[in-house]
Amino acid sequence: MADVCPKNASGITTGPVEGSRKVYSSTGSGLRVPFRRIELTNGEHLDVYDTSGPYTDDDATVDVHSGLPRTRAGWRGDREHRTQLGWARSGVITPEVEYVAHREGVSAEFVRAEVASGRAVIPANRCHPESEPMIIGKNFLVKVNANIGNSAVTSSIEEEVEKMVWATRWGADTVMDLSTGKRIHETRERILRNSPVPIGTVPIYQALEKVDGDPASLTWEIYRDTVIEQCEQGVDYMTVHAGVLLRYVPLTAQRVTGIVSRGGSIMAAWCLAHHRESFLYTHFGELCEILRAYDVTFSLGDGLRPGSIADANDRAQFAELETLGELTHIAREHAVQVMIEGPGHVPLDKVVENVRREEELCGEAPFYTLGPLTTDIAPAYDHITSGIGAAVIAQAGTAMLCYVTPKEHLGLPNRDDVKTGVITYKIAAHAADLAKGHPRAQERDDALSRARFEFRWTDQFTLSLDPDTARAFHDETLPAEPAKTAHFCSMCGPKFCSMKITQDVRAYAEEHGLTSVEAIEAGMAEKAEEFTRAGGEVYLPLTTKPW
Amino acid sequence: MADVCPKNASGITTGPVEGSRKVYSSTGSGLRVPFRRIELTNGEHLDVYDTSGPYTDDDATVDVHSGLPRTRAGWRGDREHRTQLGWARSGVITPEVEYVAHREGVSAEFVRAEVASGRAVIPANRCHPESEPMIIGKNFLVKVNANIGNSAVTSSIEEEVEKMVWATRWGADTVMDLSTGKRIHETRERILRNSPVPIGTVPIYQALEKVDGDPASLTWEIYRDTVIEQCEQGVDYMTVHAGVLLRYVPLTAQRVTGIVSRGGSIMAAWCLAHHRESFLYTHFGELCEILRAYDVTFSLGDGLRPGSIADANDRAQFAELETLGELTHIAREHAVQVMIEGPGHVPLDKVVENVRREEELCGEAPFYTLGPLTTDIAPAYDHITSGIGAAVIAQAGTAMLCYVTPKEHLGLPNRDDVKTGVITYKIAAHAADLAKGHPRAQERDDALSRARFEFRWTDQFTLSLDPDTARAFHDETLPAEPAKTAHFCSMCGPKFCSMKITQDVRAYAEEHGLTSVEAIEAGMAEKAEEFTRAGGEVYLPLTTKPW
């Protein structure tokens, strides 16, 4: 993979993506919404959705220690202590709603209605004013989350911030900080202050650190205080495994891979150790009140998700989903926004059932799935085993996809792995946007295909999800600069080119003033008749160009 | 990507895949069928389908100049000049049928009936006795083809043979030699004599070389002689773009990317230049007679396949498919086996329609598709954009998938690209096998998942599609050898492990003699009641193990 991006003095990647520049477009009330403008060699341009924040501005001068501008701080006004869901239900168009409407190319009223119904969420903690608002819901562009985080085994704070910047550069719509090691608070603080995208966490991880890794020692009070600490810092959404009930734990005993969710297994361990119902479930109302105060969005975790093909769609998984449905309705009564997390490992024939059940049980709350992996037999390629499942589940209605990197099941992702994971999931998300008929999704495909057909090589690179690698791959076979404008490629070589034939067909049509398919057919039939009348043996070249 | 495989003196990769050894299993009449036996550290083993030929034998001593043993030469007996389709219709179980039945784990009679109906083909030219018979059909394991071939721009004969060996090592079921440059005949000869898998070609490429690259100069006679030359060499299946009719060419004029098939555009150019119907179409009956004499299988090419999302499922594409249906029935009248090639670039919502139409128009002849790519915006990742489409189209009934490498649209694939393409397509094929409920497909997933759950790291590697890279990725984070048996991984670290929780749940169940989910639930309920009666405040650990 090509990595030619410059880093600034803090070791953070800055500057525009190759062939693009950041532009800002104003909403009706003057909010500045970022887009990435891809400039084409034929004088045209294409503006695409941009998640990268100020890091890709022309004059980006980011200092990781001072953090990003607190843009949304001025937006709040009298909206304290009310959630986007609350305002949307009251019919109010918040600045966040106006912003995401402009970003998605839809009306603000449509956005408000989707948020009000609970079909979409805008994860935007009032304590994270650095973030650029975005929306997650099945009637919007499919979003991608990238996980980062240090672990007990390795990695540093600077590395984690750079991973966040790197992931959003390539299109991550949200980032989850899954740190489990030392300095969790400090790491998260630096990520939040520097993040233009919503940040999600799994608070039980930090709570477990506070009790030195012993699940049985966890208490509601320790957990609650951890959640408040993270709300105050500005975390935008939190995974809460409140659906892992005591009575569901035995359902996992005969699974091939038991419980594979870290949070789920922590809660299962607690329930078993105490023979009591999960404190996340019994205190769920209190939790709602805390999240409501900051407008933090629930991401109700699937602690009993299947960890193998054998365990997909089993009783444990769907029992938990029923409880998540129950909790969704409680959260909504508290005016708290809710997403639902989904599997995991699921064979292709069982993927769609997950979406249908989730929608039915959870009132169409945005579904947020990990993959799913469609086979277990390809460690080192699980970005692909899961990218397949991700595209299919997103086509069926999943609103956000949690990426999987090539290192899944094997080790911690490095810089290249993070990029590969994000790009793979942007592909899955975009394939779903196309399949769902999102009105503007195909513009980029068409622009790239036209560039391909017209041999505008540079435009093919800049329109692609990863211009650096596309260019590098082309350079491997045909490195010379003239090859970037050559009317052939390495597949057929200079002597013959399939693309050129169609250009000749078109030239023929234009030459003869034929503008419709029917006219071209008729024109050619006439030509063929002339040919037959002439004896049928003479070679009449269509054009004089060499083939 | 890890590449730790040894090469022999000819520069060819030989020796077993890591953790496996080649075994041969005898059919009823004593034919030796290869399998790859994956030896596990717990004393179990799993035998998997193997495409790699003698190169992975323990004592492999392959010399590229003398070629592989001519195993099938002794099988032919009185079967000269009759095809597998012909014999199957007569109710005869050929050795090839017996062989593939053993290989697929089904009855010979089932295989015979599928071949007789035309729903499956066994591409096995009687002049390619080095090949190990295999079957392509929707009721068998989904197969993968890898394309190799030099081009006008680059690459050598030795490299091409090694690419074939390399591709089959990782699971390519057939290989297409798409050479377009010099020494086409010689390259193909060396590939055929050394190939354990069926070899496919596109004869029009070589025919075009014979007329110095000018499509207008092609004639039926030049093409026919090229086909005979290739049949004599032992090519097992041939792509023939006989469905590109003169009247269909104008249908492509207003496409975004026109005609993108090389063979399709050659024939379109010929039709336009002469204003006559394609000689492939007008001489199709003669072509059938030639292929029948060698039992070469038709792969009817989709010369008008869409080259972009915008052109998917359009009039040109489906008009050609109708003609391919007509030709399928003609070929079958001549007792020639037929596959049908499919697209290309297709958004997810239009994928399944391709299979349904193909099955209806072409009498369920095996469908053989290129991807399809589900978006155009990710050059350098088109193995993934197409792997998604490949899994979905295979689930819908496609019998063989033609791989796409990361270099698609950009350059010529190198060794790593070939492997990445094959592995990606093995994933897509296997995901489809699982979704279709192939009786033995899930065995490997279950074996790997059990290994994962039990922390048998080495078994996870050897059961994976690419043991070398899986091991290398694990080594990056936890290189020490003890980590291969450690009961934790780099994600959670040594202090806490989600997998371990379930082991504790199971231990509890076993300790209390609870064997069903119901018994475990009942046992735990009782335990919980005891706990409540005891005052509900005492901490009763389930196990004494540290978490």
Side-chain angles (χ1 to χ4, degrees), chain A residues 214 253-255 259 272-273 375-377 381 407 411 445 449 465-466 476 490 502 506 515 524 527 540 547, chain B residues 214 253-255 259 272-273 375-377 381 407 411 445 449 465-466 476 490 502 506 515 524 540 547:
Chain A
D214 174 16
Q254 295 182 341
R255 279 178 156 185
I259 301 175
L272 290 180
T375 166
D376 304 337
I377 69 169
Y381 300 81
K407 291 281 169 60
D445 296 77
S449 291
L465 288 177
D466 179 2
E476 269 184 44
S490 56
T502 307
R506 284 193 188 167
T515 55
M524 286 183 54
K527 193 85 181 169
L540 299 168
W547 294 103
Chain B
D214 174 16
Q254 296 182 338
R255 279 178 156 186
I259 301 175
L272 290 179
T375 167
D376 304 337
I377 68 168
Y381 299 82
K407 290 281 169 59
D445 296 77
S449 290
L465 288 176
D466 179 2
E476 270 184 43
S490 56
T502 307
R506 284 192 187 166
T515 54
M524 286 184 52
L540 299 168
W547 294 106

Side-chain angles (χ1 to χ4, degrees), chain A residues 25-69:
Chain A
S25 167
S26 281
T27 67
S29 71
L31 303 175
R32 293 172 74 237
V33 178
F35 291 93
R36 179 152 70 88
R37 176 160 294 176
I38 304 172
E39 308 271 11
L40 305 180
T41 59
N42 66 354
E44 298 174 0
H45 69 260
L46 185 74
D47 288 347
V48 298
Y49 193 102
D50 182 76
T51 58
S52 61
Y55 301 94
T56 54
D57 288 1
D58 279 340
D59 54 352
T61 54
V62 175
D63 175 1
V64 65
H65 296 287
S66 52
L68 296 180

